[in-house]
Amino acid sequence: MLEQAQRVLKDIFGYDSFRGRQGAIIECVAKGGDALVLMPTGGGKSLCFQVPALLRPGLAVVVSPLIALMEDQVATLDELGVAAASLNSTLSAEQQRELAGRIRRGEVKMLYLAPERLVQQRMLDFLRTLDIALFAIDEAHCVSQWGHDFRPEYLQLGQLAELFPHVPRIALTATADMRTREEIVTRLHLQNAERFLSSFDRPNIFYRIVPKEQPRKQLLAFLGERRGNAGIVYCLSRKKVDDVAAYLCDQGFPALPYHAGLPAETRASNQRRFLNEEGLIMVATIAFGMGIDKPNVRFVAHLDLPKSLEAYYQETGRAGRDGLPADAWMAYGLQDMVMLKQMLQNSEGDERHKRIEQHKLDAMLALCEETRCRRQILLNYFDEELPQPCGHCDNCIDGVQTWDATEPARQALSAVYRTGQRYGVGHLVDVLLGRDNEKVRSFGHEKLAVYGVGKARSESEWRSLFRQLVARGLADIDLEGYGGLRLSDSCRPLLRGEVSLELRRDLKPQTTSKGSSSGGSPASQLVRGDEREQWEALRALRRKLAEEHGVPPYVIFPDSTLLEMLRSQPSSLSEMAQVSGVGARKLERYGEAFLEVLGGAAEAPPQVTDLRHELTSLARAGMTPAQIAGQLNCSEKNVYSMLAEAIGRHQLSLEQALDLPEDLLAEVQDAFLDGEGELPPVSAIAEQFGSRVPEGVLYCVRAALAAEFEM
Ligand code: ADP
Ligand code: ZN
């Protein structure tokens, strides 16, 4: 079974090996078992049901919550030569009837549809008349009433278990937490499903969190190192989204806004452009997210703090789905905390709920002020252990300097206390620095003992200190008032001198594109300067083909495949077939064109020996004889006879040369082996098969038998 799966992986998808637990999952489902798959974004969930769908007879039914997701997958499968279709509200009644006809005739292998469509009685009745290979339930966390992607129609999918007891079901999600997991099992009746839990680490993402000083300049510096790459910039409010998008455009960056306040057409068009064009920056609220399957998002930048680590993980996780280096960058400051705490305060919901949200925010703040490896902390929050620091986050790379802040922290807290626990950080810093201004004088704060005690430190050091005091819960923000600071109970031991306090020393923020602390990371550019020209040429060809086919560029080839072409410089179709992501269909369709760009194509027609070599390579890459004939510009008959020769020389296996249904193969073999003694010639049995089996196939089968028995 696994061998067959491997072959489908190579032939259809062009990949050499399974990733992580893909192999085990595919085996489980292909054998007819149920599976629950928890895998991070970019982990390769689609293959987990697409490969078994191709291995099992009948129609595979895939439930997906969004039309955009369905269409993306159908386009991708289409490019791979797999008959897939989506049944959704954009189809006319006529088109739907036509699709039903194709399904009935067995011409469709994978059918994508929305949950509400699947559970319609008519649909279920229709499916029951068919042979169903499997049900795949994508984004299965939509069944969870606690998550923000809840879709009530998902609840009805439980009935599939009773209606189709013998059809395997596989549920997939990138949502990790235990509660969602159990909910999926109960609601979808997956008690007997084998569970496949992958690590949620995203090793290709580089995490960096910087103190917010001049956020726009900091963002520019970050983006400046990533020109030409696509990314998302998240902001909290719609107004800020509009402002930042306009600002970036002014500064010469191709940016588009996205938030729920924009007209539906603008949103749809901006989203489409982001998917189809290269190097666009989407400035967005969190309304932009689910359904964004673009694999080559190279960075996610946060100008505002997410409200939990769950949100942070999910939002940053949209970067680097293709597995290539990507960046998660965030600028964060005291104002973020005030804003989120205020929002929390004003939100609806009971006290218990608010307390939970408060804890989640605290965990997010702790990550920002963290002095240890960010990845370790992040994974730990999701109950996963990373034994060593990752070496791929700002704290690991830059190291974190800490300092003994016990004394200045006490001075700061005492400034809070002496001024009556109602002033914001700006005023408190003025007092500590001994500034002589109207506000200070009007309250008589120049007479306090703390006035001017902090002159030895700079304003930004004091601000950093206050931020960390709040983040650690040593001071609270008065949310009903004007955002003034108050002492919290937990600061007493510090004030009494019973404990000391180590704080993070903020690095000087970088606002030019030199140096690395603004966010330079190994990911900033995928290709080297000397590779750029060819890289752009490959991308241009991909863009052209994508336009011709009406699909996003990554559907033609993902960046990782283009990058491998660039690095391995294939000079023939057979070498091209070795590139990961180049399956038989794409080799046939696009191989020549990309070779030409790489400069290895316009050669003389291959010599005879090369031709044989080329032929075996193409067959190994999964091309059918007809495809090979087209590719090598010779007759199919010729191809068959060369294939038979290669089989005879043990250079090819019969499975590599042909794609014959098992029962038919057995029938042909029996026909050859029926007689006594020597293998009969092809002509002796050809009549028996007539037009059912091409003569060339008979030659190949005979050659294989002869090779096997050395006759
Ligand atoms: P997910 O749905 O889990 O976010 P996808 O199924 O979209 O992930 O896969 C992410 C990317 O990884 C896709 O471009 C896919 O083609 C690629 N991929 C998946 N499995 C493999 C594999 N075994 N080898 C190489 N690339 C793979
Ligand atoms: Zn780290």
Side-chain angles (χ1 to χ4, degrees), residues 146-148 179 286 305-311 337 340-365 381:
W146 303 104
H148 33 70
R179 179 155 149 189
I286 51 171
L305 190 70
K307 63 183 176 37
S308 66
L309 283 180
E310 285 89 346
M337 274 185 268
L340 284 177
K341 282 179 189 251
Q342 247 152 9
M343 281 172 61
L344 190 60
Q345 185 81 10
N346 300 333
S347 69
E348 295 171 13
D350 54 33
E351 282 310 310
R352 194 182 138 267
H353 178 73
K354 283 189 184 172
R355 243 192 339 271
I356 295 175
E357 296 296 308
Q358 181 61 51
H359 281 301
K360 291 188 167 187
L361 178 56
D362 288 342
M364 182 69 239
L365 294 175
Y381 182 78

Side-chain angles (χ1 to χ4, degrees), residues 9 15 17-19 22 39-47 295 321-322 558 580:
L9 183 72
Y15 297 134
S17 53
F18 289 116
R19 268 195 204 154
Q22 277 176 336
M39 210 186 256
T41 305
K45 284 187 283 302
S46 319
L47 284 187
R321 187 183 271 260
D322 54 12
S580 176

Side-chain angles (χ1 to χ4, degrees), residues 216-376:
R216 289 186 173 191
K217 286 219 173 104
Q218 290 172 283
L219 178 66
L220 275 195
F222 172 78
L223 296 178
E225 294 175 338
R226 289 161 184 80
R227 271 187 196 280
N229 286 333
I232 305 173
V233 177
Y234 278 115
C235 304
L236 202 54
S237 73
R238 298 173 183 184
K239 169 145 185 357
K240 188 161 171 187
V241 164
D242 290 333
D243 292 350
V244 171
Y247 172 74
L248 289 181
C249 287
D250 268 356
Q251 300 292 321
F253 287 93
L256 299 169
Y258 190 104
H259 57 70
L262 291 171
E265 310 89 73
T266 315
R267 256 183 296 155
S269 133
N270 286 358
Q271 169 160 343
R272 205 172 317 113
R273 284 190 58 194
F274 182 69
L275 296 180
N276 289 322
E277 296 176 27
E278 279 173 306
L280 286 188
I281 298 168
M282 191 66 111
V283 185
T285 61
I286 51 171
F288 185 69
M290 179 140 126
I292 303 310
D293 249 353
K294 186 180 172 76
N296 57 342
V297 173
R298 288 271 68 81
F299 61 84
V300 168
H302 278 96
L303 279 183
D304 292 307
L305 190 70
K307 63 183 176 37
S308 66
L309 283 180
E310 285 89 346
Y312 175 75
Y313 176 83
Q314 199 174 49
E315 284 152 30
T316 55
R318 299 192 174 114
R321 187 183 271 260
D322 54 12
L324 295 173
D327 279 292
W329 180 91
M330 173 157 81
Y332 126 97
L334 182 65
Q335 199 48 39
D336 287 285
M337 274 185 268
V338 176
M339 190 109 100
L340 284 177
K341 282 179 189 251
Q342 247 152 9
M343 281 172 61
L344 190 60
Q345 185 81 10
N346 300 333
S347 69
E348 295 171 13
D350 54 33
E351 282 310 310
R352 194 182 138 267
H353 178 73
K354 283 189 184 172
R355 243 192 339 271
I356 295 175
E357 296 296 308
Q358 181 61 51
H359 281 301
K360 291 188 167 187
L361 178 56
D362 288 342
M364 182 69 239
L365 294 175
L367 180 76
C368 295
E369 304 296 354
E370 186 54 62
T371 54
R372 291 163 295 170
C373 170
R374 306 247 195 226
R375 194 179 310 268
Q376 279 184 314

Side-chain angles (χ1 to χ4, degrees), residues 207 372-376 386 388-397:
Y207 296 97
R372 291 163 295 170
C373 170
R374 306 247 195 226
R375 194 179 310 268
Q376 279 184 314
L386 187 67
Q388 298 293 325
C390 74
H392 198 53
C393 70
D394 55 351
N395 287 355
C396 281
I397 295 265

